[in-house]
């Protein structure tokens, strides 16, 4: 599964053509696999005091197809209210 980002940039200065030049750059980025989602969740939750029974490996396996951004939203919208009522 891939996720596409479109980056829009404007160049101004000595290298610029007609004082400005716009370019588009497309990047195809693979979505993280379970071990990388586990790492991302670890970073997102690093400052939280999690209960001993919180299983980040299980969460990583349940979030197949999620990007890092999706995991952050998942934490803010769903996990945070449950873990920290």
């Amino acid at each position: 599964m891939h996720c596409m980002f479109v980056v829009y940039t404007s160049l101004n200065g000595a290298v610029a053509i007609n004082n400005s030049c716009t370019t588009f750059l497309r990047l195809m980025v693979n979505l993280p696999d379970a071990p990388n989602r586990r790492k991302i969740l670890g970073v997102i939750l690093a400052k939280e005091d999690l209960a001993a029974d919180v299983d980040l490996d299980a969460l990583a396996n349940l979030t197949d197809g999620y990007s890092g951004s999706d995991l952050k939203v998942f934490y803010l919208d769903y996990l945070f209210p449950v873990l920290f009522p």
Side-chain angles (χ1 to χ4, degrees), residues 31-59:
L31 292 172
D33 57 7
N36 285 313
R37 286 192 307 276
R38 166 61 176 86
K39 291 177 188 175
I40 293 167
L41 286 167
V43 170
I44 292 169
L45 298 169
K47 295 182 180 178
E48 304 297 346
D49 185 24
L50 299 176
D53 62 346
V54 174
D55 186 355
L56 295 183
D57 291 320
L59 285 173

Side-chain angles (χ1 to χ4, degrees), residues 1-84:
M1 189 172 278
H2 296 280
C3 184
M4 182 172 41
F5 298 93
V6 177
V7 179
Y8 173 79
T9 62
S10 177
L11 303 173
N12 292 311
V15 184
I17 299 171
N18 294 330
N19 296 328
S20 70
C21 176
T22 57
T23 60
F24 288 96
L25 171 65
R26 288 186 179 179
L27 302 172
M28 296 298 287
V29 179
N30 290 329
L31 292 172
D33 57 7
N36 285 313
R37 286 192 307 276
R38 166 61 176 86
K39 291 177 188 175
I40 293 167
L41 286 167
V43 170
I44 292 169
L45 298 169
K47 295 182 180 178
E48 304 297 346
D49 185 24
L50 299 176
D53 62 346
V54 174
D55 186 355
L56 295 183
D57 291 320
L59 285 173
N61 288 322
L62 290 170
T63 54
D64 185 34
Y66 282 47
S67 68
S69 178
D70 293 335
L71 292 171
K72 180 72 172 188
V73 170
F74 177 69
Y75 162 69
L76 292 173
D77 290 350
Y78 301 106
L79 291 182
F80 188 82
V82 172
L83 297 175
F84 311 101

